[in-house]
Amino acid sequence: MASQTMFNNSPNILNGNDPKNVFATNYSVEEIERIINDFYSPTSQLTVSQRQQLNSILECLQYSQIAWDFSWKLLNTNKSSSVQFFGAVALCNKISKHLSELDDNQIQQLFQQLIQRLIFYISINSKQITIKLVVALGHLILNMMPDKWKNGITAIIALFTQSQNEFLIEHPEKGHLIVLNILTILPEEFSRIVVSKAQRASIRAELESQFPTVLNYIQFIISTYNQTDILSKMFSCLSKWLEFGISIIKVESLFDYLFNSLNNENIFDDASNCIIVLFTSPDALKYPPIFSRLLPYVLQLESILDQSLMIGDKEKAECITKLITQFGENLAQLIIQMAITPNQQSQTLAHRFCCLVMKCTDMKGQYPVEEACSELTFSFWYALQEEVTSIDDDDKRIILLELFRPYFERLIEVLISKGQLPDNESIFTSEDKETFRCYRVDITDTMMCMHNVLGNRAIEVLANHLLLAVEQNQSWQRQESIIQLVGAGSEYVPLDENQILPRIFLLLPKLNFCNSSIINATLMVLGQYSSWLGHHQETLQNCVHLCINALSNPELIQSASIALKELTMENRLYMSKYLNDIFPIIKNVLENVQVQPNDRIRCVAIIGYILSAYPSKIVIDHLNILLAPEVNKLLAYLSETNVDQNAILRKQNICTTLSFISVLITTIGYCGDQSDADENEQQQKTAETISEIPEVLCCVLRDLTPILHLILKQYADDSEVTEKLCEILSRTVTTLRESISPILKSLLELSQNIGPNILHAQFLNFVRNTLLLFSQDTDKQMFNLFIAVLQRFGYLFKGDIQWLKDHVDIVEDFANFLIQIIKKLPTVVHHCPNEAFVLLFQFVKSGLQLHEQTTLRSITMFTSNYIEYTKSNQRAADLLRQNGLEIVQILLKCIGGASPRHLVDTLSLPLFTLSKLYIDCTSNWVQQCLNDPNFPTPSPKRHHREALIKALTSERTSRANFKDHINTFSSACRGIDYSGTSSTRNHS
């Protein structure tokens, strides 16, 4: 195979060297062509490894010195399209990154060649290569501005529109397409050019000064051509200049043409896209009169919208709605200013605009089947209410609220109608159902905005509509929609509100509960208002049984259990009187094998919260009833002989039962703030009950411990099961705290029996919580607990960086665990043997080379804290001095290109900490590293290296300033010179 020959001729690549550090000068054009064809051939039989190596060769070739030569030879129509395209890409990359390799004469020659080749490829209609050559030409022009080519845009327009080239004379429209493509590329590629700040500023100034020429050319195109492709490119060109930052005031002359173009079907999409860019201009508040003059144009869109709706053109109606709402969303502040101005005409325009948006929100038809416009308008109403509520002047805000209140109240009515479930859900596909579900979530979010801006008036509007719906026996769909929106206000209604909400809750029993959807919505509202109901127990007592009774219905159990859990958690003491009503129903639910695990867990939580208010005897009696079946299930699962059959289901059942126990412990031990705990008698009763709870839970855990040991015999190395078991241990510690002492030894024995390969977050949480509570004890077992974690990590890690890369979740949890222990419990770390400190330094050296951002952030934070810790521990400090040079080498190597650029800021933290705490050592280590001119790469010059050392040794260098120095050094290492010139090789 030809590819095999190429591999044999590529010793540098195959020896593992970075292709970007190898000058690819030993390849002929024929060899390069063969590599490209092998790599892109659809019938290629290359292995993954061979493809990766060929890709490395091609990547290297694109940026090599010989690319200036071979790229032109590959741009030959006798060669395959892949070869020609690679030639264009290589040429583009060389111009954009390494133009400094050419002198002025060579640049001029390059320009002429590029023009000729571009005209040729557009003449044969080769779009992909033409686009790449236009980008290359754009970068060349930008790099020549303004010093080497003043008024370049004028010259480019003349070059292609007044050319003596036969093809362009015969097809003048092609010349205009080239010009429009170039004029589009210049502002688009401006942000990507690699130049100094000063040169970038001068290029921007030159582009801005040349825009009148661009505008004149655009106006010439508009007046001369009506071909769709030319006008489409013209709109794209104008959009890019607006995005570049050209002021809207300079394009005001085009307003008429832009909006009139919306009547032309052929260019409608291009014109609307351009108008959206116009609307999002940052000039809105800088030139309010200009944008005010746009508003009549926007209002005229209503006629196009009506016409689109009349003929059933949903896509066009959607696009017009998007234009309208985009204007309002970005210019909500302007709408407000116009509404309160003394000018009557401006006020009228602002109100007409709000009416137009409301018309779009209240679009007839079922979303998303019959209309898709209403959802687009929600962002405008959010922006409008945000502008109104953010006004600091109280008097002005009151005036604005009065002006816009009718729109906000009308919007609530519209949201009720649009959020109604359809009479016949068969009109929905499964995709439509999900889209409509998301739509209702957006409606709820919009309603939250109305609660925010209107306050209690929003809930009053809903109460009035609900009363009307009940009195007039309106459809259950409308009642359900109102209830949904009532729920959206739960975070905004004050707990002492006693006028409107009682009216709403009194109406709940009168709702048309003929469908599970309205019952579910009502139950969810009860849960959402659990805090308020706790402060209004006379209302709560009328709602409790709705939740209790719904638990028995499979269609309602999810919402019923959610609501009841919230109510019992917020109102433990009050809800405890319903124990005899709730317990039998929940017992039946738990015995039902069809009930989903999450519903079971919530039911357990409900009983746990209620039992937490009772004396120990009642708690134990009910726990025996609840736990006995669960324990029997566990024993049955563990005694199954057919281990392989249904193993997954068996494990899931064990995990569910362990979660059951975990939640029960947490909820019974719960003693949060109670909204109904202000009665002295109840407070005293609660205090007595709380004092008995730890003894009860210790008793339960002591009885469960043998079973937990049985589970570990079979599942000690299973991550999922041990995670659930550790959750029990961790929750027990955090719930019982110091009261756990009688059973602490048993819990520690359980943790010791967990397999050596287990180091998940729940295990670490248990260890951390235990150490935080009991680290003051002189018991050696406490200190051994931390050492055991380190031993587990050492067993898994074994100094293998690949293991870290494959288990970044464990690594991140472990690093976060170490940060907390070192910061809060340094005395625990003091007791570690030397081997533990050595392991931690091994972890640092390998961990710093990871590329997962959140994991690396945790590792660098640990490293920084560990360095700080060494100042208080001589053994650790001695090891730091032994390992410091290697750590610095790793950090500089990663900063210099071994790690992606977005990680450089994160990697700077350990180096900064070292420089502040060990300034002499760090300076010496860095100096040793940078004395090698090829470290970390040959690219950084002497002044880059000296600047880094100076930043390290300066006591006044701030963290932010230090990061800037590190980023500058990193850019230099990667071949990007911050002073404006780029080196030969690009490592980014």
Side-chain angles (χ1 to χ4, degrees):
M1 278 178 67
S3 59
Q4 191 59 49
T5 305
M6 294 315 306
F7 280 117
N8 293 337
N9 290 337
S10 311
N12 289 327
I13 300 296
L14 294 177
N15 287 339
N17 294 326
D18 186 346
K20 294 177 183 176
N21 290 329
V22 179
F23 284 101
T25 56
N26 56 337
Y27 292 99
S28 67
V29 174
E30 291 75 17
E31 289 172 329
I32 294 170
E33 186 177 351
R34 246 192 331 266
I35 294 174
I36 297 167
N37 285 327
D38 282 344
F39 186 77
Y40 289 106
S41 171
T43 59
S44 171
Q45 296 181 354
L46 297 172
T47 64
V48 172
S49 175
Q50 287 174 326
R51 288 189 65 81
Q52 288 173 344
Q53 291 173 19
L54 284 185
N55 185 57
S56 296
I57 295 172
L58 293 174
E59 193 177 334
C60 174
L61 285 167
Q62 283 184 47
Y63 296 96
S64 67
Q65 187 70 31
I66 63 171
W68 290 119
D69 179 59
F70 74 68
S71 57
W72 294 111
K73 295 176 180 177
L74 297 183
L75 284 167
N76 186 322
T77 52
N78 293 325
K79 302 186 183 299
S80 69
S81 57
S82 297
V83 169
Q84 292 179 68
F85 185 71
F86 182 83
V89 170
L91 184 60
C92 186
N93 287 339
K94 289 299 291 183
I95 291 173
S96 63
K97 302 290 185 183
H98 303 146
L99 192 61
S100 59
E101 295 174 0
L102 304 182
D103 59 32
D104 289 351
N105 289 333
Q106 289 172 318
I107 290 174
Q108 190 59 39
Q109 185 181 359
L110 171 66
F111 179 76
Q112 295 300 332
Q113 282 182 286
L114 196 50
I115 295 293
Q116 292 168 11
R117 205 59 61 98
L118 177 57
I119 294 172
F120 168 74
Y121 273 104
I122 201 169
S123 72
I124 63 172
N125 201 30
S126 179
K127 290 185 179 179
Q128 275 192 314
I129 296 175
T130 299
I131 290 170
K132 213 65 189 169
L133 292 179
V134 168
V135 174
L137 182 57
H139 274 275
L140 184 57
I141 294 168
L142 287 169
N143 276 278
M144 292 164 68
M145 284 184 175
D147 301 332
K148 296 177 183 177
W149 201 13
K150 192 75 173 174
N151 299 325
I153 289 179
T154 304
I156 278 291
I157 293 173
L159 183 64
F160 287 101
T161 59
Q162 301 171 21
S163 173
Q164 297 306 305
N165 180 278
E166 290 183 16
F167 173 75
L168 293 183
I169 291 172
E170 189 175 341
H171 303 279
E173 74 283 357
K174 296 295 185 182
H176 289 299
L177 277 173
I178 294 176
V179 172
L180 286 169
N181 273 301
I182 294 170
L183 294 181
T184 304
I185 286 296
L186 292 177
E188 185 177 20
E189 291 295 313
F190 171 78
S191 62
R192 299 186 182 95
I193 55 174
V194 183
V195 294
S196 65
K197 288 182 181 179
Q199 191 178 350
R200 182 178 293 278
S202 64
I203 293 171
R204 172 174 276 280
E206 175 69 6
L207 287 172
E208 288 174 346
S209 70
Q210 288 275 287
F211 181 70
T213 303
V214 176
L215 184 60
N216 287 336
Y217 181 71
I218 287 174
Q219 288 171 329
F220 164 77
I221 292 293
I222 290 171
S223 63
T224 310
Y225 289 93
N226 59 6
Q227 288 102 314
T228 302
D229 56 344
I230 292 180
L231 293 178
S232 174
K233 182 51 67 177
M234 179 275 296
F235 282 118
S236 178
C237 176
L238 179 58
S239 296
K240 294 303 176 185
W241 282 92
L242 287 168
E243 289 173 353
F244 173 70
I246 292 300
S247 174
I248 188 174
I249 202 169
K250 295 182 179 179
V251 298
E252 188 179 1
S253 60
L254 297 177
F255 286 178
D256 273 340
Y257 177 78
L258 281 173
F259 284 91
N260 287 335
S261 296
L262 294 173
N263 294 308
N264 185 334
E265 294 296 331
N266 295 324
I267 55 175
F268 174 85
D269 290 340
D270 299 300
S272 60
N273 289 335
C274 187
I275 291 171
I276 283 178
V277 174
L278 188 71
F279 288 166
T280 55
S281 167
D283 287 344
L285 301 176
K286 192 174 179 182
Y287 303 109
I290 301 294
F291 279 92
S292 299
R293 286 199 283 277
L294 275 174
L295 190 48
Y297 290 103
V298 177
L299 294 174
Q300 289 170 16
L301 296 176
E302 184 173 9
S303 61
I304 303 178
L305 178 64
D306 290 340
Q307 186 182 7
S308 303
L309 293 172
M310 189 182 301
I311 63 175
D313 190 341
K314 282 177 59 181
E315 288 187 11
K316 193 170 185 179
E318 193 174 340
C319 192
I320 293 296
T321 304
K322 187 176 180 182
L323 284 174
I324 294 167
T325 54
Q326 194 79 57
F327 179 86
E329 181 184 350
N330 291 298
L331 299 163
Q333 189 172 344
L334 180 65
I335 299 296
I336 281 178
Q337 289 173 358
M338 292 177 70
I340 58 174
T341 184
N343 186 306
Q344 185 63 44
Q345 186 180 3
S346 293
Q347 290 180 22
T348 302
L349 288 173
H351 286 292
R352 283 182 60 197
F353 179 78
C354 289
C355 290
L356 178 57
V357 178
M358 188 67 73
K359 178 178 180 176
C360 296
T361 309
D362 195 19
M363 190 74 67
K364 291 181 180 178
Q366 175 68 59
Y367 183 94
V369 180
E370 296 166 340
E371 66 91 5
C373 298
S374 55
E375 187 269 339
L376 298 171
T377 66
F378 296 157
S379 57
F380 165 71
W381 298 116
Y382 170 80
L384 187 65
Q385 69 83 29
E386 193 172 54
E387 290 294 341
V388 171
T389 55
S390 63
I391 299 292
D392 293 329
D393 187 326
D394 290 343
D395 293 336
K396 188 176 179 182
R397 189 171 61 253
I398 291 169
I399 292 170
L400 285 170
L401 190 54
E402 287 306 311
L403 282 173
F404 290 102
R405 183 190 302 277
Y407 297 106
F408 293 142
E409 292 185 7
R410 171 62 184 147
L411 178 62
I412 295 175
E413 296 179 38
V414 172
L415 294 178
I416 291 171
S417 298
K418 298 302 292 184
Q420 287 180 209
L421 295 167
D423 294 335
N424 181 9
E425 287 198 17
S426 63
I427 64 171
F428 282 166
T429 64
S430 57
E431 185 178 347
D432 290 336
K433 285 182 181 178
E434 176 59 18
T435 303
F436 186 65
R437 186 194 66 78
C438 295
Y439 177 68
R440 296 218 325 158
V441 171
D442 291 338
I443 283 178
T444 302
D445 291 343
T446 307
M447 186 63 218
M448 289 172 71
C449 297
M450 295 304 99
H451 284 293
N452 184 46
V453 70
L454 295 177
N456 282 0
R457 176 57 187 162
I459 204 76
E460 186 179 359
V461 171
L462 290 171
N464 294 338
H465 280 285
L466 186 62
L467 177 61
L468 201 63
V470 170
E471 288 179 346
Q472 297 181 357
N473 196 25
Q474 293 176 356
S475 69
W476 69 263
Q477 288 96 335
R478 185 168 181 82
Q479 294 180 10
E480 188 270 350
S481 183
I482 297 170
I483 290 297
Q484 283 270 57
L485 299 184
V486 169
S490 59
E491 295 180 14
Y492 297 91
V493 179
L495 294 176
D496 60 356
E497 201 291 310
N498 59 5
Q499 299 297 317
I500 305 163
L501 279 179
R503 285 169 48 201
I504 290 176
F505 282 103
L506 283 174
L507 288 171
L508 296 187
K510 301 176 183 178
L511 296 179
N512 183 6
F513 290 129
C514 64
N515 186 284
S516 61
S517 294
I518 187 172
I519 306 175
N520 277 316
T522 306
L523 291 168
M524 293 303 293
V525 165
L526 294 178
Q528 288 165 321
Y529 282 93
S530 57
S531 294
W532 184 89
L533 287 166
H535 287 75
H536 301 79
Q537 292 174 5
E538 68 286 352
T539 304
L540 175 59
Q541 66 184 356
N542 296 324
C543 304
V544 171
H545 283 286
L546 178 63
C547 297
I548 296 173
N549 296 334
L551 283 175
S552 303
N553 188 330
E555 291 185 13
L556 305 175
I557 187 171
Q558 181 180 15
S559 51
S561 59
I562 291 172
L564 208 49
K565 179 187 171 185
E566 293 296 322
L567 288 170
T568 51
M569 183 173 69
E570 293 284 346
N571 314 288
R572 274 189 322 133
L573 299 182
Y574 179 82
M575 293 296 291
S576 63
K577 67 182 183 181
Y578 293 102
L579 174 62
N580 294 333
D581 296 307
I582 295 174
F583 189 80
I585 295 175
I586 285 186
K587 182 174 176 292
N588 290 335
V589 169
L590 296 176
E591 290 171 354
N592 185 349
V593 294
Q594 302 298 323
V595 175
Q596 294 298 310
N598 288 340
D599 296 331
R600 284 172 53 83
I601 295 302
R602 279 192 294 272
C603 286
V604 171
I606 292 165
I607 286 300
Y609 286 130
I610 291 176
L611 288 176
S612 68
Y614 277 89
S616 59
K617 185 179 185 311
I618 294 176
V619 175
I620 291 171
D621 288 345
H622 285 80
L623 282 180
N624 285 335
I625 297 171
L626 287 177
L627 285 174
E630 299 302 319
V631 170
N632 291 334
K633 285 181 195 174
L634 275 177
L635 293 173
Y637 299 145
L638 295 170
S639 62
E640 287 181 11
T641 53
N642 298 328
V643 178
D644 294 333
Q645 293 181 0
N646 299 322
I648 296 175
L649 179 61
R650 180 170 171 257
K651 190 171 80 171
Q652 285 176 348
N653 290 333
I654 290 174
C655 287
T656 301
T657 305
L658 291 176
S659 293
F660 181 110
I661 295 168
S662 176
V663 169
L664 205 54
I665 290 168
T666 305
T667 52
I668 289 178
Y670 178 77
C671 52
D673 295 335
Q674 300 302 309
S675 57
D676 55 2
D678 52 354
E679 299 176 22
N680 292 334
E681 187 179 340
Q682 284 185 318
Q683 280 188 327
Q684 184 178 356
K685 179 183 173 183
T686 303
E688 292 170 0
T689 302
I690 290 172
S691 66
E692 296 172 347
I693 290 297
E695 184 181 344
V696 172
L697 292 180
C698 283
C699 226
V700 170
L701 263 297
R702 192 180 291 113
D703 292 343
L704 287 173
T705 299
I707 299 168
L708 298 180
H709 276 292
L710 286 175
I711 293 172
L712 283 177
K713 280 186 179 180
Q714 293 187 30
Y715 291 96
D717 294 314
D718 186 279
S719 180
E720 291 178 57
V721 174
T722 54
E723 191 172 336
K724 294 298 180 183
L725 191 142
C726 287
E727 191 177 297
I728 292 175
L729 303 184
S730 183
R731 287 190 174 192
T732 302
V733 171
T734 53
T735 301
L736 297 183
R737 301 183 67 79
E738 289 81 1
S739 303
I740 201 175
S741 297
I743 59 167
L744 180 60
K745 186 176 180 181
S746 299
L747 299 187
L748 292 176
E749 287 175 0
L750 276 169
S751 69
Q752 290 164 6
N753 288 336
I754 292 173
N757 64 322
I758 299 299
L759 198 67
H760 42 56
Q762 288 296 345
F763 177 82
L764 294 172
N765 286 344
F766 166 68
V767 174
R768 182 200 63 218
N769 294 337
T770 305
L771 288 174
L772 286 171
L773 279 171
F774 298 102
S775 61
Q776 302 304 318
D777 296 358
T778 54
D779 188 350
K780 191 177 179 182
Q781 193 172 18
M782 280 299 109
F783 300 119
N784 288 342
L785 190 58
F786 177 65
I787 295 170
V789 172
L790 298 182
Q791 288 172 340
R792 281 174 183 270
F793 179 74
Y795 169 80
L796 295 168
F797 173 35
K798 297 187 178 77
D800 179 13
I801 189 172
Q802 189 59 47
W803 184 87
L804 298 184
K805 291 178 179 179
D806 294 341
H807 300 84
V808 289
D809 51 343
I810 295 177
V811 173
E812 187 175 335
D813 291 335
F814 178 65
N816 291 334
F817 166 80
L818 291 176
I819 292 168
Q820 292 174 314
I821 299 300
I822 280 184
K823 287 174 73 173
K824 297 180 180 179
L825 302 170
T827 52
V828 171
V829 187
H830 289 336
H831 287 78
C832 288
N834 286 347
E835 294 80 3
F837 292 121
V838 171
L839 172 66
L840 293 179
F841 277 112
Q842 285 180 332
F843 173 51
V844 165
K845 288 185 285 188
S846 296
L848 290 172
Q849 300 175 62
L850 298 184
H851 293 172
E852 182 70 30
Q853 187 162 19
T854 55
T855 305
L856 182 65
R857 187 178 291 117
S858 296
I859 292 168
T860 55
M861 287 180 65
F862 160 66
T863 304
S864 182
N865 279 282
Y866 191 32
I867 292 167
E868 291 175 5
Y869 167 79
T870 61
K871 298 297 286 186
S872 65
N873 187 307
Q874 189 58 48
R875 290 181 298 147
D878 290 342
L879 282 169
L880 176 62
R881 291 186 176 89
Q882 292 173 28
N883 291 273
L885 176 59
E886 189 178 353
I887 291 172
V888 167
Q889 282 177 329
I890 290 168
L891 283 168
L892 291 177
K893 187 176 179 183
C894 292
I895 289 167
S899 292
R901 286 184 68 185
H902 69 275
L903 300 178
V904 171
D905 277 357
T906 305
L907 288 162
S908 66
L909 177 61
L911 204 54
F912 180 74
T913 309
L914 275 172
S915 70
K916 293 302 177 188
L917 300 179
Y918 292 91
I919 187 167
D920 293 334
C921 292
T922 306
S923 177
N924 182 38
W925 293 329
V926 173
Q927 189 76 56
Q928 284 185 61
C929 292
L930 297 186
N931 280 341
D932 180 353
N934 293 316
F935 183 87
T937 71
S939 297
K941 297 180 175 63
R942 181 178 175 181
H943 69 272
H944 295 129
R945 299 170 187 272
E946 290 175 350
L948 178 62
I949 294 170
K950 185 177 179 181
L952 282 164
T953 54
S954 172
E955 294 182 2
R956 293 195 298 264
T957 303
S958 66
R959 172 88 170 95
N961 196 16
F962 185 78
K963 282 200 291 188
D964 288 341
H965 283 289
I966 291 293
N967 275 302
T968 300
F969 180 75
S970 176
S971 296
C973 290
R974 296 167 196 265
I976 306 170
D977 190 336
Y978 76 106
S979 63
T981 58
S982 63
S983 67
T984 303
R985 291 179 303 281
N986 174 23
H987 294 272
S988 62

